[in-house]
Amino acid sequence: MRSTAEWRFWGRYDPMWAVATWEGRQHDGPHPWTIDDFLAAGRSDCTDIMRQWNQYGRKDGGRCVEIGCGAGRLTSALVDYFDRVLAIDVSVDQIELAKRFLGASVTRVTFSIVEEPVLDVRPGTCSAMISTFVFQHLSDYSGIVAYLRAAHRALQPGASICFQTPVPGADNGDLPSAAARTLDSVRSRVSRALGRRRFMEYNRYPVERIVSTLEEIGFQDVEMRIVRLASTNRRQSFFFARKPGLHSNGA
């Protein structure tokens, strides 16, 4: 993915702020992230997400795949809900931080560094997949599709997925205009062409496109929910879907 180089830059330059881009929390900002604050925000978000995911019908235990684990902000909380976590990321630096931040819990997490949207796991061996604040930064929609296809292969029958990605008309209603999004896309292309890495590409896709993609891959019971995260008091768009069970007719 073209965006991989940028995220490896952020993993070196400001890894915690790159994961949670809160105003003033940059490493050189007035209130830089501390490890405790960073992990506490992750636990808060995980609590809010799990409330919705459990209501949807999440399976307890098993192994959860986390796409884009970063420095382990959410990973540190996921081990309270799953037996094991397969945490993947493109940044070696982020994963090394995550290993340090997780402390004793690190023994229940397997980390994987990837170059492309793939999951190095045997088919049908995972009970869940989660991804937050990742898909919006991928440089091409095909990367999202590839990850969702890989997740479908990795999941056990009846297992579910939960992922966040912004959509027009939601997420606090503060998404930029079409003109602003076009300008942002042009800036990203120019920065990438010039070899600059200090930028974040930010994409959003219509609900209908994401739902259609999930259904074409083979997921069912697709839902989008607007979830307010207490850590920021902001609304975020989350999608839930399920791999058909062994006795499902896929209807």
Side-chain angles (χ1 to χ4, degrees):
M1 294 288 292
R2 292 168 301 183
S3 49
T4 296
E6 290 92 65
W7 285 97
R8 287 182 172 165
F9 163 81
W10 284 112
R12 296 187 301 272
Y13 180 74
D14 200 347
M16 286 191 283
W17 184 78
V19 171
T21 55
W22 298 13
E23 186 62 35
R25 290 288 199 170
Q26 297 91 332
H27 67 80
D28 55 355
H31 304 290
W33 281 112
T34 66
I35 296 173
D36 288 344
D37 287 350
F38 181 76
L39 297 181
R43 287 192 296 272
S44 176
D45 285 359
C46 196
T47 297
D48 293 334
I49 294 166
M50 288 298 171
R51 186 178 299 114
Q52 297 292 326
W53 200 356
N54 290 341
Q55 188 183 76
Y56 173 82
R58 179 184 67 88
K59 285 185 174 181
D60 288 331
R63 176 167 58 173
C64 178
V65 177
E66 183 188 9
I67 296 173
C69 65
R73 192 181 82 106
L74 205 67
T75 321
S76 64
L78 288 175
V79 294
D80 292 334
Y81 297 90
F82 298 96
D83 299 325
R84 295 193 62 81
V85 176
L86 170 60
I88 74 169
D89 205 274
V90 299
S91 169
V92 174
D93 298 277
Q94 291 277 29
I95 284 180
E96 288 304 312
L97 272 183
K99 290 177 179 179
R100 181 155 57 90
F101 290 175
L102 262 64
S105 297
V106 75
T107 59
R108 293 168 53 200
V109 180
T110 301
F111 291 95
S112 178
I113 301 167
V114 298
E115 297 281 342
E116 297 293 335
V118 296
L119 301 179
D120 185 16
V121 61
R122 289 191 296 111
T125 58
C126 298
S127 60
M129 182 280 279
I130 189 170
S131 185
T132 61
F133 305 105
V134 174
F135 288 166
Q136 64 202 39
H137 297 304
L138 298 185
S139 52
D140 194 273
Y141 187 74
S142 64
I144 299 176
V145 176
Y147 271 131
L148 293 176
R149 289 191 185 281
H152 190 272
R153 288 191 296 270
L155 291 178
Q156 302 162 349
S160 62
I161 65 173
C162 165
F163 65 91
Q164 170 274 337
T165 194
V167 300
D171 306 274
N172 287 322
D174 59 356
L175 294 178
S177 66
R181 294 198 302 269
T182 300
L183 180 58
D184 181 62
S185 178
V186 170
R187 286 173 175 164
S188 296
R189 289 198 299 270
V190 170
S191 295
R192 192 170 281 124
L194 294 175
R196 298 171 182 165
R197 304 301 180 208
R198 192 173 175 175
F199 70 95
M200 294 183 186
E201 191 164 0
Y202 191 90
N203 298 301
R204 73 274 315 145
Y205 303 97
V207 175
E208 295 81 4
R209 185 177 188 185
I210 297 171
V211 171
S212 294
T213 295
L214 287 165
E215 291 177 342
E216 288 168 5
I217 290 171
F219 286 101
Q220 64 180 28
D221 303 330
V222 179
E223 292 185 12
M224 190 201 81
R225 299 188 181 194
I226 305 300
V227 180
R228 185 180 292 277
L229 299 179
S231 64
T232 57
N233 197 33
R234 294 173 68 86
R235 298 190 303 272
Q236 301 291 344
S237 304
F238 279 80
F239 289 84
F240 299 85
R242 182 176 290 105
K243 183 173 181 177
L246 289 174
H247 303 294
S248 172
N249 60 11

